[in-house]
Amino acid sequence: MKNFTFMALLYFAATASFAESDGRWFSSDQVKRGEVLFKQNCAACHGQNAEKTIDWKKTDANGKYPPPPLNGTAHAWHHSLELLKSTIREGGKKLGGVMPAFEGKLSDTEIDQLVAYFQSKWPDDVYQKWAERFEVSELPSISEVVQTNEKSSLTRHLRKRLGQFKLGEPTETAADDVWQVKFQDRFLYLIEGGKFAIIGDLIDLESGQNLTEISRRDLTIEEIAKYPESDLVIFEPEGEVKATLDIFTDTSCGYCRKLHKELPKLTGAGIRIRYFPYARGGEQGPGYATLKSVWCAKDRLQAMTDAKNEITHNLPAGDCEAAKVVDQGYITGSKVGITGTPALFKKNGEKIIGYVPYQKLIPMVLN
Ligand code: HEC
């Protein structure tokens, strides 16, 4: 709701027809509606322009305070938006005052409009003090931000909340009113017009497609391209290279071993296999040391096959320079969204999760 109003504000600010409330949480429309409600419900006590009572600090004969001005000259700005609204809802009884309660008589929307009306009377410096005190700054609605080309302001607002991270520009997703923003090496999703953000994968349950994975492909290609081929363990196909498949593998993982047994079928079909190390669990993981040994072996292909067959007595120590790739692979793996092994990547960055029997895998890779 608040957010919606800010959206309207941005729109007006952008079309330069709404200078008065520039930077405020409410819209001119709310102010207009609030004025009507104020005259009907509040003006009798607080004055037509929310200016009464001038002498608001003086109690009456009964020791009660008169209605204070709400136009910024009294101390309404000492109260948060929530408190201003709850005073209108609940009245002054709670505080020993006489203001009537409007709960049940006015809706939340109307109460927002009333506050918008009297706050529109506040001079900028008073409003500013209030806004700073209660940090009233709304995340702009993303859809409006995009329409008004205020992307830099969106980034600024997101940074205020998320910290100094690398943020991309918002893009629309297939889901209604959900926007995607690249956040470091991940993606976050703004929902409810930018009121909430979720970090995770967006999955289309109708098609079964992981939409985030599709967005991640460019990043994946970029990350994978950082590896010179000399850092990899490559199984060449027999004849012509028809496709390349990048596999993040762990020698200790059962399905990686199973896939490795079927490697001749893949290379036989013209698929070039490039192995990247990915030790599940990192340094503490069960495959970490063996992977390092494989990368240190003179004949890495043989060492890889041996390790996958649990023949490890021939493997060298994993303390050579080349073994650093194993640590890098772990970092890259998290950047490209690996959640398990084997993790397969096609040339276009498309991820295939887990073991797929070669009969099914070959057409998937060649297409
Ligand atoms: C019968 C008179 C009366 C009416 C009608 C009335 N008020 Fe009040 N209002 C008061 C008084 C008196 C106070 C001071 C606190 C108390 O005694 O309850 C007050 C306090 C407030 C405050 C707190 C201000 C501060 O600085 O602490 C707000 C906000 C407010 N009124 C808004 C409204 C709005 C909006 C309406 C109309 C929907 C309204 N009031 C209608 C008498 C009234």
Side-chain angles (χ1 to χ4, degrees):
M1 171 51 226
K2 262 190 270 164
N3 219 34
F4 173 75
T5 60
F6 195 88
M7 181 173 105
L9 167 68
L10 264 180
Y11 176 75
F12 282 111
T15 53
S17 66
F18 194 61
E20 188 198 16
S21 288
D22 192 22
R24 301 196 178 190
W25 67 264
F26 44 80
S27 69
S28 62
D29 190 52
Q30 281 178 303
V31 173
K32 253 196 291 187
R33 286 165 199 268
E35 181 168 11
V36 177
L37 292 166
F38 196 87
K39 304 243 142 107
Q40 289 165 352
N41 299 283
C42 328
C45 294
H46 289 283
Q48 287 298 317
N49 292 300
E51 79 286 5
K52 275 170 133 172
T53 308
I54 309 284
D55 233 354
W56 57 280
K57 283 184 182 161
K58 254 201 208 126
T59 52
D60 64 14
N62 301 323
K64 302 282 186 196
Y65 283 100
L70 303 172
N71 62 358
T73 57
H75 69 189
W77 68 271
H78 287 237
H79 307 315
S80 69
L81 191 57
E82 240 351 280
L83 190 68
L84 291 171
K85 292 200 277 194
S86 71
T87 303
I88 301 168
R89 274 197 310 269
E90 294 159 26
K93 223 180 185 163
K94 223 175 39 177
L95 312 160
V98 296
M99 155 131 170
F102 287 89
E103 180 109 69
K105 295 189 190 113
L106 297 168
S107 69
D108 284 352
T109 310
E110 289 172 325
I111 291 175
D112 278 351
Q113 292 163 349
L114 280 161
V115 178
Y117 169 67
F118 67 72
Q119 284 200 319
S120 75
K121 307 272 177 210
W122 295 8
D124 277 341
D125 59 325
V126 173
Y127 185 91
Q128 213 46 48
K129 268 195 279 185
W130 174 79
E132 272 164 31
R133 186 162 178 163
F134 300 107
E135 287 192 30
V136 182
S137 59
E138 290 293 322
L139 192 64
S141 149
I142 310 311
S143 47
E144 204 60 34
V145 167
V146 171
Q147 270 174 37
T148 53
N149 263 324
E150 290 241 23
K151 287 183 185 158
S152 61
S153 100
L154 167 79
T155 312
R156 205 175 58 236
H157 279 270
L158 283 174
R159 286 227 171 89
K160 262 195 197 160
R161 285 150 177 82
L162 302 168
Q164 293 301 314
F165 289 108
K166 240 166 74 190
L167 295 169
E169 288 201 344
T171 52
E172 241 168 316
T173 67
D176 279 348
D177 204 27
V178 176
W179 296 77
Q180 175 181 278
V181 180
K182 195 162 161 219
F183 173 65
Q184 299 278 76
D185 297 320
R186 306 206 240 169
F187 289 97
L188 67 77
Y189 293 91
L190 297 156
I191 59 170
E192 282 199 26
K195 202 170 167 192
F196 298 98
I198 299 178
I199 298 173
D201 281 11
L202 185 67
I203 296 160
D204 180 339
L205 293 177
E206 267 170 22
S207 67
Q209 266 188 326
N210 181 331
L211 303 176
T212 311
E213 188 271 312
I214 295 172
S215 304
R216 209 185 276 122
R217 286 178 191 173
D218 286 343
L219 188 120
T220 300
I221 292 169
E222 217 176 279
E223 286 300 324
I224 282 178
K226 288 181 184 165
Y227 286 75
E229 290 211 321
S230 56
D231 276 356
L232 309 176
V233 178
I234 301 176
F235 286 83
E236 298 288 352
E238 279 139 36
E240 180 206 347
V241 178
K242 291 189 183 140
T244 299
L245 186 63
D246 292 333
I247 303 177
F248 281 73
T249 195
D250 183 334
T251 48
S252 71
C253 115
Y255 280 112
C256 299
R257 290 183 186 147
K258 196 165 166 153
L259 183 68
H260 191 78
K261 285 211 168 71
E262 297 176 3
L263 223 58
K265 301 281 187 195
L266 301 176
T267 51
I271 300 170
R272 187 167 186 253
I273 302 294
R274 306 197 313 161
Y275 270 134
F276 291 68
Y278 184 79
R280 296 165 304 151
E283 259 178 72
Q284 312 299 328
Y288 181 75
T290 310
L291 279 168
K292 286 212 154 188
S293 295
V294 169
W295 254 261
C296 289
K298 265 210 189 85
D299 184 349
R300 283 189 199 162
L301 271 63
Q302 189 55 51
M304 179 65 88
T305 301
D306 286 349
K308 290 265 167 76
N309 290 318
E310 291 183 85
I311 304 165
T312 52
H313 61 268
N314 287 331
L315 296 179
D319 53 3
C320 67
E321 187 66 20
K324 282 189 182 148
V325 179
V326 177
D327 300 303
Q328 274 168 31
Y330 189 66
I331 297 166
T332 304
S334 74
K335 286 188 182 174
V336 300
I338 294 181
T339 48
T341 48
L344 290 56
F345 292 95
K346 288 168 61 170
K347 230 191 164 71
N348 65 356
E350 186 182 338
K351 180 167 75 175
I352 301 168
I353 306 166
Y355 166 81
V356 179
Y358 72 91
Q359 298 94 327
K360 231 177 118 189
L361 184 58
I362 292 169
M364 277 168 89
V365 177
L366 293 182
N367 283 334

